[in-house]
Amino acid sequence: MKTWEMIKELTENPKKKFKNKNIPYIVVACNSINLLVNEEGNYINVPFDAEWEEVKEPVSFIQVLERVKNNLSTRITLHDEARERIYAIRSLSGILRDLDEEFDSKEISKILLEGKWYIE
């Protein structure tokens, strides 16, 4: 997304974070006069035509369950770093079905608790 789109997203949800592969910092906030701030709290200038992508923060498995409970169409991603596996943009039932086919209950419980969950 372009800089103006990133600023629009930040004004709608100031908790979002964005990164750019050519700029060495992450933009984390937009104050009341639309100045961008980096993670250290310093005001920054960015090129208007820069391309940005949202930085997704992992959530707990309990947070995933709460979201799915309220919205069955929630799409999630699970990063299982211990086994170097990613279950990308799926439903919770799809991920659980895949885990059940590959692992026993003990391994599944470790993956659910230790994996990094992202809500899309």
Side-chain angles (χ1 to χ4, degrees), residues 2-115:
K2 297 287 185 193
T3 299
W4 71 268
E5 294 169 305
M6 183 246 318
I7 292 170
K8 181 180 181 290
E9 292 280 328
L10 283 171
T11 58
E12 292 171 357
N13 185 350
K15 293 183 179 185
K16 288 186 175 185
K17 296 181 181 183
F18 293 88
K19 68 180 178 179
N20 176 294
K21 65 181 178 183
N22 299 320
I23 298 174
Y25 41 71
I26 295 175
V27 175
V28 295
C30 187
N31 70 17
S32 61
I33 55 173
N34 293 330
L35 294 174
L36 300 175
V37 180
N38 66 14
E39 287 182 300
E40 290 77 38
N42 301 316
Y43 295 110
I44 58 174
N45 292 316
V46 296
F48 187 71
D49 62 345
E51 287 289 331
W52 298 88
E53 66 180 60
E54 186 176 349
V55 176
K56 296 284 188 178
E57 296 290 331
V59 298
S60 71
F61 182 60
I62 299 301
Q63 288 171 302
V64 169
L65 294 177
E66 287 293 330
R67 179 68 72 88
V68 171
K69 180 179 94 174
N70 295 323
N71 182 357
L72 292 177
S73 63
T74 299
R75 308 303 280 172
I76 54 180
T77 297
L78 168 62
H79 290 239
D80 178 13
E81 293 175 353
R83 288 153 206 83
E84 298 179 352
R85 296 287 308 268
I86 295 176
Y87 301 88
I89 310 177
R90 310 267 318 270
S91 65
L92 178 60
S93 60
I95 290 175
L96 294 175
R97 191 172 28 257
D98 288 350
L99 292 174
D100 185 52
E101 290 175 2
E102 295 182 50
F103 303 103
D104 63 22
S105 293
K106 184 177 180 179
E107 282 296 304
I108 292 172
S109 65
K110 286 174 67 176
I111 293 167
L112 296 179
L113 293 171
E114 297 170 5

